[in-house]
Amino acid sequence: MSSDCCSVAEGGERGIDHCPRCGEKGHSVSLATVGAMAKTDVEAVKLSAQDYRVCRNLICPAVYFSPGITIDKIGLRVPANFKEKNYEGPICYCFDHTVASIRAEIKSSGRSTVQAMITSQINAGHCACEVKNPAGTCCLGDAIRTVNSISLQLTNGLG
Ligand SMILES: [Zn+2]
């Protein structure tokens, strides 16, 4: 397991770090992530490319790109939380906390323990974000954003 799976990826040279489909800047993602996420029918040549980046633009079909190569979300084994509208699936892919489960907990208890649970699992060295999370990075930031947006929805009577 990579010890730096929860570190923030560094930006690279300009030009190759922008999505060829939508132009949004992507951050580096390891080939291990791309290989773990891609369906088996994604061509082998795509899985030997280097310098992959991930596009987090919700409305863009491309998920991973490298010079001359893109892998769209339909080529992934799992739904990417950052590519789906009205998403209810996993936010924390390592420990299977979903949007639905986070909302259910907040509705029933008024608060979320997901941040504390994920943090304790990270501290215990159990996270495998590099090969389980399509973003290739720790889910904690996404989990906190999800908790905040659900809390806001419930406060406003929209949940
Ligand atoms: Zn894009």
Side-chain angles (χ1 to χ4, degrees):
M1 183 188 312
S2 170
S3 61
D4 62 359
C5 75
C6 291
S7 63
V8 176
E10 297 293 325
E13 309 90 317
R14 284 216 158 271
I16 63 163
D17 57 355
H18 290 75
C19 176
R21 296 261 166 105
C22 71
E24 188 160 297
K25 190 172 186 214
H27 68 73
S28 292
V29 66
S30 80
L31 187 56
T33 304
V34 178
M37 290 300 136
K39 286 180 180 168
T40 50
D41 59 353
V42 169
E43 304 98 289
V45 63
K46 292 189 174 181
L47 300 182
S48 62
Q50 301 296 319
D51 300 325
Y52 265 108
R53 285 163 195 279
V54 60
C55 172
R56 293 187 57 123
N57 181 354
L58 179 74
I59 60 170
C60 176
V63 180
Y64 304 121
F65 60 92
S66 182
I69 293 175
T70 57
I71 297 177
D72 287 349
K73 66 179 184 179
I74 57 166
L76 266 58
R77 297 174 198 267
V78 298
N81 63 302
F82 51 89
K83 289 292 182 186
E84 305 293 333
K85 290 175 189 150
N86 303 317
Y87 180 77
E88 292 291 321
I91 292 294
C92 170
Y93 291 80
C94 300
F95 312 113
D96 201 29
H97 299 294
T98 66
V99 174
S101 73
I102 292 170
R103 181 184 298 108
E105 187 193 16
I106 296 175
K107 268 188 170 173
S108 71
S109 71
R111 57 189 288 272
S112 174
T113 56
V114 71
Q115 182 179 348
M117 283 194 287
I118 294 171
T119 302
S120 75
Q121 294 289 348
I122 291 169
N123 291 339
H126 292 159
C127 74
C129 316
E130 189 180 24
V131 293
K132 289 198 168 175
N133 186 342
T137 57
C138 183
C139 64
L140 192 54
D142 284 338
I144 292 169
R145 275 190 289 278
T146 301
V147 168
N148 289 341
S149 86
I150 289 172
S151 299
L152 194 64
Q153 284 169 15
L154 293 174
T155 302
N156 291 332
L158 303 174

